[in-house]
Amino acid sequence: MTRGSRKYHKGNALRGTLRIVAFVGTLSACIKNTATAFVVPFPSAINTHKHVFPHCARDRHVCRAEFKNPTAGEESRKFRRDVFTYKDWVESRKPDRIYRKLGSTLNSGVVKGLGKELTIVAILSTMVIVWNSLLSGGWVDFSGVGHDPLIEGLPMIELPMNVFTLSSPALGLMLVFRTNTSYNRWAEARAKWGSIINHTRNIVRMGEAWCDPKLEPNPYIRAELLDNLSRAVWSFPRSLTRHLSDSEEDEEPFKQEVREKLKPERAEALIAARHRPCRSLHDISFAANALPMPYLRRSQIDDSITVLIDDCGACERIFGSPVPLVYTRHTARFLYTWTLLLPFALWPKFDYSWNHVGMIPAMSVIALFMFGIEELATQLEEPFSVLPMQFFSDGIYLLTREYPEWGFDEEFPFTYGNDDDWRQPF
């Protein structure tokens, strides 16, 4: 049917326009609703303590009140502090993992965080359809009858696909560099915390093993000195956790926990310090120096304290120095411009669908995964709010308290051999 032979019905054109607008409004409402909701993790994750929640990890219990109406985006980061167990790894390797992950797409925090962007893409795609079909190119009603455009002589807006084909490799390279850089920051932050865990263990282990009863024969004094060392060692990762966290989230729990686990004068001095991790390192140094042991052994403990200082500085470097803003901003502008202009090139490719309306869901899916790559990089760029630092601190506390208990366990007495510097069991 030629354009000249089509029946021109303004009433039908208006109804067709309203139907398309209503469809887009419904789609936008669905996206908006997913952007303001947050789904509670599945029960198995709660039962196995897979997710570590602020203020709750200290007691190894999940505060279910934390699940009440949290919002996606920044608030959801505290629910992403995953700690895997063997059962969690088995669950992640199940053959049906692909179907489960596809089925939970709409519950993804990335999808919810992109609600506004996806709405804009859907609206823009609809505007392209309305302009090129209803206003300038002609349209087809539900009965399959073609109609002339509402405005004769109005040009259609299209872009050649070659523009996007030629520019897509450059965009891909920029996104790859963006995501790799962000992941490397997360990996380095996790490696530094692994080093902190190892060296805090080493400090207490060496202090307990090398505390010489010949230099200090009173076991109660030795026990008190080791107790001071273990509590000072725990105060460092806990102070660093607070140092790298939001004050609204962790300031009061930090003060409460410090006052519970440290002596009053030490606790208040730590709370009042301008740089709390450095104050903790100061306390560790003095506690280690007070131990009765040869100075060469004390020097080895100081080597581990020096590593803690380096790890603290590395964490501060990651936290305070983002990926250069000129790069992240240019990548975001490139990505958003590329995606928002894509409907003008895809419009003729959907001529097989009714009034090209198939372009709307197609563009929404494309935008979801394109914007999702940039969103993942943004979420990983600052790694500390998604690392379970409180869980690490709690584990360090439990282990530092166990080492002195092992050393003074009456069921396993210790003595010295010919070499007075080495402690040997019976």
Side-chain angles (χ1 to χ4, degrees):
M1 180 182 295
T2 62
R3 180 178 299 182
S5 63
R6 293 175 181 169
K7 296 180 180 179
Y8 181 68
H9 300 293
K10 290 187 177 181
N12 291 339
L14 180 61
R15 285 192 293 272
T17 304
L18 292 176
R19 290 189 184 101
I20 295 178
V21 172
F23 171 78
V24 176
T26 303
L27 179 62
S28 302
C30 293
I31 297 174
K32 183 178 181 180
N33 289 337
T34 60
T36 56
F38 190 86
V39 176
V40 178
F42 51 88
S44 62
I46 298 176
N47 294 335
T48 60
H49 302 147
K50 175 183 176 182
H51 296 268
V52 181
F53 300 94
H55 321 330
C56 306
R58 283 173 282 279
D59 299 324
R60 297 297 189 274
H61 293 294
V62 175
C63 287
R64 297 181 183 273
E66 294 281 355
F67 287 118
K68 293 183 179 179
N69 301 322
T71 58
E74 195 62 31
E75 284 297 318
S76 66
R77 291 177 67 83
K78 64 182 68 175
F79 296 92
R80 296 175 179 172
R81 298 162 187 173
D82 301 324
V83 178
F84 263 39
T85 63
Y86 179 78
K87 292 182 179 180
D88 296 314
W89 285 113
V90 172
E91 184 73 17
S92 69
R93 293 192 293 263
K94 284 187 175 180
D96 63 341
R97 61 186 182 278
I98 302 299
Y99 306 105
R100 289 189 286 109
K101 292 175 182 178
L102 287 176
S104 62
T105 299
L106 294 180
N107 296 332
S108 169
V110 174
V111 176
K112 296 166 187 174
L114 294 174
K116 293 181 180 179
E117 289 82 354
L118 298 182
T119 301
I120 292 174
V121 170
I123 292 175
L124 181 61
S125 301
T126 304
M127 293 174 61
V128 173
I129 293 174
V130 171
W131 180 279
N132 288 342
S133 296
L134 291 176
L135 300 181
S136 62
W139 58 284
V140 179
D141 61 20
F142 288 109
S143 301
V145 179
H147 300 273
D148 291 330
L150 296 181
I151 302 176
E152 293 289 347
L154 192 67
M156 293 190 296
I157 303 177
E158 297 182 42
L159 290 174
M161 182 59 71
N162 291 339
V163 174
F164 299 90
T165 303
L166 293 174
S167 59
S168 58
L171 177 60
L173 287 175
M174 296 189 74
L175 288 175
V176 166
F177 178 83
R178 176 85 169 91
T179 53
N180 283 352
T181 303
S182 297
Y183 176 77
N184 288 337
R185 290 167 59 88
W186 181 92
E188 184 180 4
R190 181 61 185 88
K192 293 303 177 183
W193 267 96
S195 175
I196 290 171
I197 293 172
N198 293 338
H199 283 280
T200 50
R201 292 171 178 172
N202 267 337
I203 291 172
V204 181
R205 176 189 61 82
M206 290 186 289
E208 180 272 325
W210 297 342
C211 190
D212 195 341
K214 291 187 176 181
L215 297 179
E216 177 52 68
N218 190 329
Y220 296 100
I221 295 179
R222 298 201 311 274
E224 182 179 2
L225 294 175
L226 288 174
D227 180 74
N228 292 337
L229 177 64
S230 65
R231 293 180 186 274
V233 166
W234 164 81
S235 69
F236 171 72
R238 187 62 186 92
S239 299
L240 187 60
T241 298
R242 168 61 195 90
H243 190 62
L244 301 172
S245 302
D246 181 17
S247 59
E248 295 182 0
E249 174 188 340
D250 197 39
E251 179 65 19
E252 292 304 319
F254 169 78
K255 291 180 179 179
Q256 178 182 355
E257 194 168 2
V258 165
R259 286 169 176 153
E260 289 176 355
K261 296 179 178 178
L262 299 181
K263 295 179 179 179
E265 63 277 8
R266 294 286 179 86
E268 297 305 322
L270 180 61
I271 292 172
R274 184 188 63 83
H275 196 285
R276 290 164 174 170
C278 283
R279 173 67 199 202
S280 299
L281 292 169
H282 168 272
D283 294 341
I284 295 173
S285 299
F286 273 77
N289 193 57
L291 294 176
M293 65 175 61
Y295 74 93
L296 291 178
R297 294 288 175 81
R298 192 178 297 113
S299 176
Q300 289 183 279
I301 295 179
D302 189 69
D303 290 341
S304 289
I305 298 175
T306 302
V307 174
L308 295 182
I309 296 175
D310 294 338
D311 293 337
C312 177
C315 290
E316 290 179 324
R317 170 177 53 81
I318 297 171
F319 188 75
S321 303
V323 177
L325 296 179
V326 62
Y327 186 90
T328 57
R329 290 170 179 170
H330 185 72
T331 302
R333 290 165 186 157
F334 190 176
L335 172 63
Y336 280 72
T337 302
W338 192 91
T339 306
L340 293 177
L341 291 179
L342 187 58
F344 296 99
L346 288 182
W347 183 82
K349 305 298 181 181
F350 285 87
D351 55 355
Y352 60 88
S353 63
W354 178 76
N355 288 321
H356 302 253
V357 75
M359 185 178 68
I360 299 175
M363 273 304 308
S364 299
V365 173
I366 293 173
L368 167 63
F369 291 107
M370 293 297 292
F371 293 159
I373 296 174
E374 201 272 338
E375 177 69 13
L376 289 176
T378 302
Q379 293 293 328
L380 288 176
E381 186 177 359
E382 190 277 283
F384 298 104
S385 56
V386 292
L387 281 176
M389 297 186 295
Q390 180 63 54
F391 181 84
F392 299 153
S393 300
D394 292 343
I396 291 172
Y397 176 78
L398 294 176
L399 193 59
T400 56
R401 302 304 297 161
E402 282 183 322
Y403 269 118
E405 295 176 3
W406 295 338
F408 287 90
D409 193 340
E410 295 180 356
E411 295 181 4
F412 300 95
F414 287 84
T415 186
Y416 284 86
N418 296 328
D419 186 355
D420 290 344
D421 288 338
W422 290 97
R423 198 173 188 181
Q424 300 174 351
F426 278 127

